[in-house]
Amino acid sequence: MTKNKVVQNKITNFKIGDITVGEDFLLIAGPCSIEGYEMASASAKATKGSGANIFRGGSFKPRTSPYSFQGLQQEALEILLRLKQELNLVVITEIMDPRLINSSLDFIDIIQIGSRSMHNFPLLKEVGMIDKPVLLKRGFQATIEEWVHSAEYIYKEGNSKIILCERGIRTFETYTRNTLDLSAVPIMQKLTGLPVIVDPAHATGRKDLIPSMCKAAIAAGADGLMVEVHPTPDTALSDPEQQLNFAEFDSLMQELIPIINFFRKN
Ligand code: PEP
Ligand code: MN
């Protein structure tokens, strides 16, 4: 693994808008899927108002069943661009198809590579060739070593603006959707020098576990968090069990901000 340049070079901080990644704590929040302009706009205003600095919203959804909601796709990208302009936001969405990378660049600030795509090598090579930050989620069946190699695919093509995201791995445990591997945070930071954030929603699949897992991630030294927030989680078209409503997100943020400030200073 030491052959990997991402391991040898220890990447430095980079900017996305006013945010210095690696220095500023990333608070990424928003709905699992963009379901329309109104709900996305309300979510963006609420999450920003509570302290989030990046707005997320799925456009192309990687669903297990082809009959499940697949996302609003191009329409969602257009909504994200509109919100970015109206509210001065930094926005992130997942792109799954390598053929859509170039056409998505004008709409978003960060490209998300989802857990199911971590082994999609043509996609990794494609995002390696662009000048935009990439959030690389851990494959839910991927080892640390495989995850590093995937980051290397991006780095090798010339893109070093990579953020890693631990989002849980599949184990024999069924109480939670996945098992959150918090040891991956310091391991990946030490191995690669890249910023590592944590997504407790997809890791656990349960909204009641989000606050405690957020706190644990901050204490483990994470560089940020990604939380799913929806105006009415019960009616969400994807992941209804793991999204917080606006009030829940706001009280979570009030609890987390002093903890973030404490751990980032010490
Ligand atoms: C997501 O963040 O929208 C998502 C689908 O997550 P994951 O790729 O981790 O399952
Ligand atoms: Mn989701």
Side-chain angles (χ1 to χ4, degrees), residues 58-96:
S59 308
F60 302 89
K61 295 306 297 177
R63 305 307 297 280
T64 304
S65 163
Y67 303 110
S68 301
F69 176 63
Q70 301 286 309
L72 296 183
Q73 312 198 3
Q74 181 61 29
E75 189 187 338
L77 291 181
E78 282 157 23
I79 292 171
L80 285 170
L81 176 62
R82 186 171 161 197
L83 292 174
K84 190 174 144 47
Q85 291 164 343
E86 286 173 357
L87 303 171
N88 190 26
L89 302 173
V90 171
V91 301
I92 176 168
T93 205
E94 175 173 355
I95 307 289
M96 285 187 283

Side-chain angles (χ1 to χ4, degrees), residues 30-33 56 61-63 137 177 199 201-202 228 238-240 242-243:
C32 181
S33 300
R56 67 148 284 149
K61 295 306 297 177
R63 305 307 297 280
K137 286 193 144 194
R177 184 172 170 181
D199 169 353
H202 293 93
E228 288 191 326
S238 55
D239 288 345
Q242 64 188 42
Q243 304 198 61

Side-chain angles (χ1 to χ4, degrees), residues 108-149:
I108 51 179
D109 301 292
I110 309 169
I111 301 224
Q112 179 168 323
I113 302 297
S115 186
R116 289 154 195 80
S117 294
M118 194 210 81
H119 290 294
N120 184 339
F121 303 120
L123 178 64
L124 300 177
K125 288 181 190 168
E126 200 63 37
V127 296
M129 290 186 277
I130 61 170
D131 184 23
K132 273 256 151 119
V134 176
L135 180 101
L136 177 64
K137 286 193 144 194
R138 181 181 185 174
F140 61 82
Q141 307 200 68
T143 63
I144 297 271
E145 186 153 347
E146 287 163 341
W147 194 11
V148 174
H149 286 306

Side-chain angles (χ1 to χ4, degrees), residues 6 13 20 22 25 28-29 48 70 76 85 98 122 133 176 193 196 203-204 217 228 236 238 240 249 257 261:
V6 77
N13 296 344
T20 306
F25 195 82
I28 307 176
K48 188 178 181 181
Q70 301 286 309
Q85 291 164 343
T176 46
V196 183
T204 63
E228 288 191 326
S238 55
F249 181 67
I257 287 168
N261 290 336

